[in-house]
């Protein structure tokens, strides 16, 4: 489960980056809007079925990565974010963004930085890793 600081951050952001892989092992990375649904994410879009990410997922490559990040301050340098290894499926129906097709993205491993604790401790980059069961 996400910690409260991670949930607050996820809810405060508007965009994420979704990485998928084609059947030919070609990666692609896309900026996406999302709706956070407590333990998973819904990602939709205009004409979703025409996108490369849709073709990659429906071709059977259900393993995806989702990253939400930003820089809280430049001076001092304070990056923050959360990276997730996830499983994605396509669903059709009424969703958080209206009627249509959506990816339902469920994390199984997450790393966050600058949210639960400072991202630099003793000049070392530190993440908060959670493996979901």
């Amino acid at each position: 489960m996400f910690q409260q600081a991670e949930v607050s951050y996820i809810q405060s952001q508007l965009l994420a980056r979704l990485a998928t892989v084609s059947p030919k092992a070609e990666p692609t990375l896309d900026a996406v809007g999302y709706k956070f649904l407590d333990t998973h994410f819904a990602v939709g879009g205009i004409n979703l079925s025409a996108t490369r990410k849709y073709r990659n997922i429906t071709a059977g490559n259900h393993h995806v990565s989702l990253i939400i990040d930003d820089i809280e301050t430049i001076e001092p340098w304070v990056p923050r974010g959360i990276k997730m290894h996830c499983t994605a499926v396509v669903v059709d129906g009424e969703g958080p963004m209206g009627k249509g097709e959506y990816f339902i993205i469920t994390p199984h491993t997450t790393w966050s930085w600058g949210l639960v604790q400072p991202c630099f401790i003793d000049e070392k980059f530190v993440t908060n890793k959670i493996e979901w069961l």
Side-chain angles (χ1 to χ4, degrees):
M1 298 293 289
F2 290 106
Q3 294 188 31
Q4 185 54 48
E6 295 167 329
V7 169
S8 296
Y9 179 74
I10 290 166
Q11 292 173 333
S12 76
Q13 300 300 300
L14 300 174
L15 288 176
R17 288 181 287 259
L18 175 65
T20 63
V21 179
S22 77
K24 294 181 181 180
E26 297 167 332
T28 189
L29 182 66
D30 298 289
V32 296
Y34 62 88
K35 177 75 175 176
F36 178 59
L37 304 169
D38 295 324
T39 60
H40 57 277
F41 297 80
V43 172
I46 298 171
N47 201 11
L48 187 64
S49 62
T51 65
R52 186 173 184 201
K53 59 188 170 281
Y54 181 93
R55 289 190 303 274
N56 291 347
I57 291 170
T58 58
N61 292 329
H62 298 279
H63 297 285
V64 302
S65 287
L66 191 69
I67 297 177
I68 304 167
D69 66 334
D70 69 355
I71 299 171
E72 186 174 24
T73 63
I74 296 172
E75 284 293 329
W77 185 254
V78 182
R80 61 185 180 171
I82 186 164
K83 176 176 92 168
M84 298 162 267
H85 287 179
C86 313
T87 302
V89 296
V90 177
V91 298
D92 187 23
E94 191 67 35
M97 298 158 221
K99 185 168 177 44
E101 289 186 298
Y102 293 90
F103 300 135
I104 298 299
I105 299 173
T106 305
H108 57 79
T109 307
T110 63
W111 297 262
S112 69
W113 56 95
L115 302 175
V116 175
Q117 62 191 10
C119 61
F120 297 107
I121 297 175
D122 297 328
E123 299 183 12
K124 293 183 182 175
F125 185 71
V126 178
T127 63
N128 180 53
K129 181 179 179 181
I130 298 173
E131 295 203 34
W132 301 39
L133 300 176

